[in-house]
Amino acid sequence: AQSNRYREFPEAAAQVSGWSREELGSMTIRDVCPPEDIPDVIQFVHGESRDGFVRSAPWRHLHKDGSLHWVDVSHSVVRFRGRDAGLALVQDITGRVETEKALRESQARFQPLWESGLMGIVESVLDGRIVAANDAFLRMVGYTREDLLAGRVNWQKMTPPEFAHVDERAIAELRAKGSCGPIEKEFIRADGSRVPF
């Protein structure tokens, strides 16, 4: 713990980093962190109490190939072979961090359009749940914000059966390409009437 040197770890830990177990055995935390992150990482490692309390934080980790990966590190100090040692559980969260960054950038880009009311905009998941919608969309389908917050606004349930195949094609395209082209369909409004989209 004092040297910040890796001592023992499973093969899975080596796979996350790209380094072999033998290489990691001769390295310290300083070898796998970007230089500008080292003070924060060292403070994190040595900052916890000695009562076994586990702390968790995201770190940037230098992969052997030179790329930067994000890892979530849960760290605690334990007694190991008669001395204090750091025990770390590491999970690669690069995909999640990149997805969250892309979502934040997308939200910032579309915020003026979202607020303008020029068109209905929603954020949803593939099982039909609409997790966010602007006022323009809610007016179009006749639901309230309270309905949305209560989980009553669901694009699958609002889709007439004859348009189910349109959704299926769009979902397949989303899964294959990450986006899909425009589609035309109808929604069943809260009052039972239909509105074309």
Side-chain angles (χ1 to χ4, degrees):
Q2 294 302 317
S3 67
N4 303 310
R5 186 173 300 281
Y6 293 104
R7 298 202 180 274
E8 297 191 19
F9 38 83
E11 183 60 34
Q15 291 173 2
V16 168
S17 69
W19 304 94
S20 70
R21 294 178 69 180
E22 292 75 22
E23 290 169 321
L24 280 175
S26 65
M27 298 168 72
T28 70
I29 290 172
R30 295 175 184 274
D31 297 317
V32 295
C33 290
E36 61 271 26
D37 293 1
I38 289 173
D40 290 337
V41 170
I42 298 297
Q43 182 178 2
F44 170 80
V45 169
H46 291 288
E48 73 281 335
S49 64
R50 301 295 183 179
D51 60 3
F53 179 69
V54 177
R55 302 171 69 230
S56 179
W59 292 4
R60 294 192 304 164
H61 187 280
L62 284 171
H63 197 271
K64 184 177 181 177
D65 65 12
S67 62
L68 272 177
H69 288 235
W70 280 95
V71 293
D72 184 69
V73 180
S74 298
H75 188 269
S76 180
V77 172
V78 296
R79 292 296 290 176
F80 182 72
R81 295 181 181 168
R83 63 176 178 227
D84 286 342
L87 173 66
L89 305 175
V90 181
Q91 179 183 12
D92 191 326
I93 58 168
T94 304
R96 187 183 84 197
V97 170
E98 290 175 350
T99 298
E100 290 171 352
K101 179 184 176 189
L103 180 59
R104 286 192 303 272
E105 291 172 351
S106 174
Q107 287 173 333
R109 189 170 64 248
F110 286 107
Q111 192 65 29
L113 185 59
W114 181 281
E115 294 172 353
S116 72
L118 293 173
M119 63 177 60
I121 303 175
V122 301
E123 291 180 22
S124 67
V125 288
L126 296 183
D127 67 4
R129 286 175 293 140
I130 294 178
V131 295
N134 68 351
D135 291 337
F137 178 81
L138 293 173
R139 280 193 304 273
M140 290 176 192
V141 294
Y143 285 93
T144 65
R145 188 142 309 274
E146 289 73 28
D147 292 325
L148 177 69
L149 295 174
R152 292 189 288 268
V153 188
N154 183 300
W155 60 261
Q156 275 192 345
K157 292 177 181 175
M158 293 189 305
T159 299
E162 64 268 27
F163 289 98
H165 69 283
V166 175
D167 289 341
E168 289 168 7
R169 281 201 313 265
I171 289 171
E173 190 174 349
L174 279 168
R175 287 188 168 138
K177 301 178 182 177
S179 64
C180 74
I183 61 172
E184 292 185 10
K185 61 180 285 184
E186 293 181 354
F187 277 137
I188 301 170
R189 302 178 79 246
D191 64 6
S193 62
R194 293 190 180 198
V195 58
F197 276 81

